[in-house]
Amino acid sequence: MSDSDSVLHKIEDISYFDNLALFYLCNECPPQTLALAFLVMNEKIAGSMLGVLDVKRRKFVHELMASLEASPLEAKESAAKGLLIIADGLISRNLIVKKGQFYYGTRKE
């Protein structure tokens, strides 16, 4: 998917996701990608995403964040871009739909 095909263009777009959309995104992302992305993204967005994780996974991601804090900025920014790619994939599979400026998770049947 090229940049012109992507629906999301910046990490802040994730702030328009509802909890179900965040849940899908968090569960599709590898924990290391989440941890690195959380280190460079808005604290409110990261907090919302952490809030939809189950307790064990949230604890694991917190531990990864602590251990990866010294990672190069390029790695953190790449993880944030990866998060957007995964989100775009969920949108293309209709697990997340855009209505107006907001994004909603759809119920799996």
Side-chain angles (χ1 to χ4, degrees), residues 10 12-18 21-22 45 101-104:
K10 57 188 184 296
E12 291 79 16
D13 292 341
I14 293 173
S15 67
Y16 296 105
F17 280 36
D18 75 347
L22 290 175
I45 299 170
Q101 73 181 57
F102 298 100
Y103 297 85
Y104 300 91

Side-chain angles (χ1 to χ4, degrees), residues 11-12 15 37-49:
I11 200 72
E12 291 79 16
S15 67
F38 287 164
L39 293 170
V40 292
M41 67 190 326
N42 177 291
E43 291 176 7
K44 288 183 181 182
I45 299 170
S48 294
M49 293 177 76

Side-chain angles (χ1 to χ4, degrees), residues 51-91:
V52 299
L53 294 175
D54 66 73
V55 176
K56 287 181 182 178
R57 188 155 185 196
R58 184 180 316 129
K59 183 177 186 236
F60 182 61
V61 171
H62 270 291
E63 290 169 0
L64 280 173
M65 287 172 67
S67 68
L68 296 171
E69 196 164 355
S71 297
L73 181 59
E74 298 82 31
K76 296 172 188 173
E77 290 174 345
S78 290
K81 287 178 186 172
L83 198 66
L84 292 177
I85 292 168
I86 292 169
D88 276 331
L90 291 167
I91 292 167

